[in-house]
Amino acid sequence: MAHVLVYIDTPGEHLHKTDRELLTLAGMLGEPVVALLGDLTDGVSAELGAHGAGVLYQPAVDGLGELLVAGKAAFLAAAAEEAAADAVLLGNTFEAKEIAARVGIRLSAGVITDAIAVGKDFSVTKSVFAGSYTVNASVTTGRPIITVKANSVEIATPQSGSIPEVRRVDVAVPGAAARITERSERAASGRPSLDEARIVVAGGRGVDGDFGPIEDLADALGGAVGASRAATDAGWIDHSAQIGQTGKTVSPQLYVSAGISGAIQQKAGMQTAKVIVAVNKDPDAPVFDIADFGIVGDLTTVLPQATAEINKRRS
Amino acid sequence: MDEAIPALNIAVLVKHVPDTQFDRHLSGGHNTTDRSESILSELDEYALEAALQLVEAQGGDGHRVMAVTMGPPAAVNAVKKALQIGAHEGIHLCDDALAGSDASGTSRALAAVVRQLGPVDLVLTGMASTDGETSLVPAQLAELLELPQVTFASTLELTHDDGARQLIARRESDNVAETVRSTVPAVVSVTDQINEPRYPNFKGIMAAKKKPIATLSLADVGLDASEVGFSGAWTRVEQAQQRPARSQGVIITDEGDAGRQLVDFLADQKLL
Ligand SMILES: Cc1cc2nc3c(=O)[nH]c(=O)nc-3n(C[C@H](O)[C@H](O)[C@H](O)COP(=O)(O)OP(=O)(O)OC[C@H]3O[C@@H](n4cnc5c(N)ncnc54)[C@H](O)[C@@H]3O)c2cc1C
């Protein structure tokens, strides 16, 4: 059976949803093995076993995570060789793609990003040009290295598996690397992360400084909060909430766009959403061209009414 | 007088890409990007601006900002635009055999060009190309050139203590903000948060006409045609299907109950 190596960065106490999606996919393609950079807790170890991982590779040296990408890539490349992996799967964050990129060079192997499906032969389905094409691509040289978008796989129910066997991998620490000297984590919002969320409610310049109506609707729907660049540039919300060409690309079940005109760079990040709802005062806003349900109206009245209605129906 | 500031050599990688304002297409038997209607990638303008600002902040003379591109003859337009904006010289790796290069082939070709430029302090790029959209190339270049990578920088500062230059950058990634330090030379990619790119003015456009553009062949940079293009690609697009354009759905005008109608719609779609 094919060995499919899944890269897991720093799970903390529990595996992330995206990690479990990758393990499920690996299990569908062959036998999952894991390269884990961060600390391994008992909880994570049990979860890995329950998702079918029999063997787990960890670096034999510390501090690789402080070297910008180079250290993680050196570890993953070494683990892929040690595991004789037939393919390597990673998440689709900016950093994961860069790790994949460098591992590709180290192993002389092709890299495909943004996969939404992977076949038994490791051929990949992905969309390009902001969702205007769906392509099927494959790696022609080396072990396929594939980054997989969140929400592409239905997570398998965990089985009663055994604890995976831990093997240490020697890694030559790369000399030429930038060092991360300071790191500040943003406070967790309690909402799902944008990458993983099935529902995203996004606000733009039209919120005029107040994300309250956006946040309330997101909370009523159990969704994440996103934003246009105009809103993040104005400082109304953190830059990490930006959706679009230079922000995040999301493909949720539902995207609610409120007070956003729908510039091409914004559409680039959201137009593969299953259902798009738009609320905008301007009937000519380009976002209405792609909306499944559009409301010409003021978000400061429409959104609170919708939120109240959802809460009423639930109670 | 200040001690002499060593001249700074910066290679800015610029790409000729389809204008994102128009529909973009894959074409030909290999499903490659159709490059008619192409422009200098707008994300590369931030890299060029960052290079010009770094050079201006250093003061002194003799600094070189080199705009580097690869591709067919038309790709030189990206270099020309960069010269109009303020780059000092252009380098164009031009060969038909480059057609169909994937990220790894592109990285190998660009790494080979950079090696030919002599000592370079920084290789600066945009955060992604606006066509491939993968962000793979900066990281692959760093791996190939064995240089530190400082990617997705939203600020950039060069210091020189004791003659050694150091780079300090901020990056905002998913849920962390990081400060990164690196020795120089390094490969650096910048986001669109870093600056406001300047436009070419009349003087710049006139001056660009006199700036040199070197055209290099694959042989000039020591590459074989088999290492790039279709034959050197490590990935292949087997099939491409254009998605039907999203069509407009129902549009209503709020008459006081649009919020409730929205909830009805969500309930119909089983999204509640
Ligand atoms: C290189 C580059 C990269 C970019 N990357 C991105 C990106 O990743 N993401 C992104 O979003 N943009 C990006 N942009 C910017 C993009 O071009 C637009 O400028 C931006 O998306 C506009 O944001 P907006 O729709 O919120 O603002 P606007 O275009 O100003 O639209 C605001 C909308 O709100 C409506 N409105 C106002 N008040 C109300 C109200 N009370 N109720 C309802 N509607 C109201 C208005 O009718 C208007 O349509 C990028 C641009 C460049 C050049």
Side-chain angles (χ1 to χ4, degrees):
Chain A
M1 225 192 332
H3 285 177
V4 182
L5 182 66
V6 172
Y7 176 74
I8 296 181
D9 201 286
T10 36
E13 294 300 318
H14 289 285
L15 291 178
H16 294 290
K17 178 164 169 277
T18 42
D19 298 332
R20 288 182 280 133
E21 288 175 359
L22 292 178
L23 288 165
T24 301
L25 179 59
M28 286 156 54
L29 299 171
E31 197 175 308
V33 283
V34 168
L36 179 100
L37 181 94
D39 291 334
L40 177 65
T41 60
D42 289 347
V44 166
S45 179
E47 285 174 5
L48 288 172
H51 281 98
V55 182
L56 170 68
Y57 296 87
Q58 285 200 283
V61 285
D62 287 335
L64 292 173
E66 276 132 54
L67 305 177
L68 195 54
V69 184
K72 295 179 178 184
F75 161 57
L76 182 55
E81 284 184 325
E82 191 83 11
D86 295 288
V88 179
L89 303 181
L90 303 90
N92 204 53
T93 60
F94 283 124
E95 181 170 279
K97 289 193 231 187
E98 292 195 311
I99 297 170
R102 297 187 70 130
V103 172
I105 296 296
R106 281 182 170 257
L107 300 178
S108 296
V111 179
I112 302 180
T113 59
D114 305 297
I116 52 172
V118 182
K120 278 262 177 209
D121 57 353
F122 301 118
S123 66
V124 171
T125 309
K126 63 180 278 189
S127 57
V128 300
F129 293 160
S132 50
Y133 279 83
T134 303
V135 302
N136 202 275
S138 44
V139 166
T140 55
T141 307
R143 6 175 107 94
I145 298 165
I146 301 167
T147 72
V148 184
K149 287 182 91 159
N151 295 326
S152 304
V153 186
E154 205 64 59
I155 295 171
T157 325
Q159 306 293 312
S160 54
S162 49
I163 302 279
E165 174 199 337
V166 177
R167 296 186 192 160
R168 299 274 161 188
V169 186
D170 285 326
V171 185
V173 179
R179 203 163 266 286
I180 299 164
T181 53
E182 240 181 84
R183 182 180 255 142
S184 53
E185 308 249 346
R186 269 182 276 281
S189 66
R191 298 192 180 94
S193 78
L194 269 178
D195 303 301
E196 299 180 351
R198 297 194 151 259
I199 293 179
V200 174
V201 183
R205 202 190 310 272
V207 308
D208 200 15
D210 179 11
F211 261 75
I214 308 284
E215 290 170 352
D216 292 345
L217 181 60
D219 290 342
L221 290 167
V225 171
S228 73
R229 177 162 145 190
T232 58
D233 279 358
W236 300 336
I237 186 165
D238 199 87
H239 174 61
S240 59
Q242 184 182 316
I243 310 280
Q245 187 196 352
T246 53
K248 295 216 163 96
T249 307
V250 295
S251 317
Q253 299 292 112
L254 170 65
Y255 188 86
V256 180
S257 155
I260 298 178
S261 57
I264 188 115
Q265 295 93 347
Q266 154 72 207
K267 282 184 187 164
M270 47 67 84
Q271 64 185 350
T272 55
K274 268 248 169 59
V275 175
I276 296 173
V277 168
V279 182
N280 196 303
K281 279 208 287 211
D282 173 10
D284 297 323
V287 69
F288 286 128
D289 298 344
I290 59 165
D292 298 287
F293 190 73
I295 296 171
V296 180
D298 192 325
L299 73 92
T300 59
T301 54
V302 175
L303 263 46
Q305 188 180 68
T307 305
E309 183 70 16
I310 294 167
N311 292 336
K312 193 175 104 196
R313 290 193 192 186
R314 291 237 170 99
S315 65
Chain B
M1 224 196 90
D2 289 343
E3 65 178 291
I5 296 163
L8 198 56
N9 292 314
I10 304 181
V12 182
L13 307 185
V14 294
K15 193 170 183 187
H16 192 232
V17 296
D19 191 337
T20 47
Q21 297 295 336
F22 302 112
D23 281 341
R24 290 169 288 169
H25 294 284
L26 295 170
S27 61
H30 294 278
N31 291 310
T32 51
T33 307
D34 178 355
R35 292 184 188 280
S36 44
E37 316 254 19
S38 285
I39 54 165
L40 167 62
S41 171
E42 56 188 355
L43 297 182
D44 296 342
E45 293 180 16
Y46 297 90
L48 178 58
E49 179 65 37
L52 296 174
Q53 288 186 12
L54 283 175
V55 159
E56 285 158 5
Q58 297 285 302
D61 304 319
H63 306 299
R64 285 163 78 210
V65 173
M66 298 166 272
V68 178
T69 198
M70 60 178 264
V76 80
N77 291 326
V79 170
K80 286 187 177 157
K81 175 91 185 280
L83 296 179
Q84 292 175 353
I85 294 172
H88 304 114
E89 56 191 277
I91 293 102
H92 178 198
L93 176 67
C94 184
D95 202 304
D96 289 343
L98 292 166
S101 295
D102 67 351
S104 71
T106 302
S107 306
R108 282 193 296 279
L110 290 170
V113 177
V114 171
R115 287 193 194 103
Q116 293 296 306
L117 297 178
V120 169
D121 299 295
L122 296 177
V123 179
L124 261 169
T125 78
M127 63 183 278
S129 66
T130 51
D131 51 353
E133 300 167 337
T134 64
S135 304
L136 296 178
V137 167
Q140 295 204 321
L141 269 176
E143 188 74 46
L144 286 162
L145 294 169
E146 296 180 49
L147 292 179
Q149 86 170 77
V150 178
T151 39
F152 299 109
S154 57
T155 68
L156 207 57
E157 199 192 321
L158 260 184
T159 59
H160 46 108
D161 297 336
D162 302 331
R165 280 199 164 102
Q166 206 192 33
L167 195 66
I168 305 164
R170 298 262 307 161
R171 357 194 289 147
E172 317 271 334
S173 51
D174 294 316
N175 284 307
V176 285
E178 294 166 336
T179 305
V180 173
R181 283 170 193 268
S182 172
T183 52
V184 171
V187 175
V188 179
S189 79
V190 302
T191 72
D192 60 336
Q193 302 288 305
I194 194 167
N195 55 40
E196 279 296 332
R198 65 192 76 176
Y199 294 106
N201 55 26
F202 180 73
K203 210 173 129 219
I205 292 169
M206 296 315 288
K209 296 190 170 148
K210 298 199 199 84
K211 292 177 179 172
I213 299 179
T215 308
L216 303 178
S217 67
L218 282 176
D220 290 333
V221 300
L223 278 176
D224 190 85
S226 66
E227 293 172 79
V228 296
F230 294 113
S231 45
W234 293 349
T235 58
R236 184 168 56 214
V237 174
E238 315 274 4
Q239 271 174 41
Q241 229 179 354
Q242 195 159 10
R243 273 167 78 120
R246 274 194 103 99
S247 53
Q248 200 180 67
V250 183
I251 310 284
I252 62 164
T253 301
D254 183 24
E255 278 159 5
D257 67 341
R260 283 188 290 275
Q261 290 198 49
L262 168 55
V263 180
D264 289 337
F265 170 80
L266 296 180
D268 279 351
Q269 300 282 324
K270 306 211 170 2
L271 286 165
L272 282 187

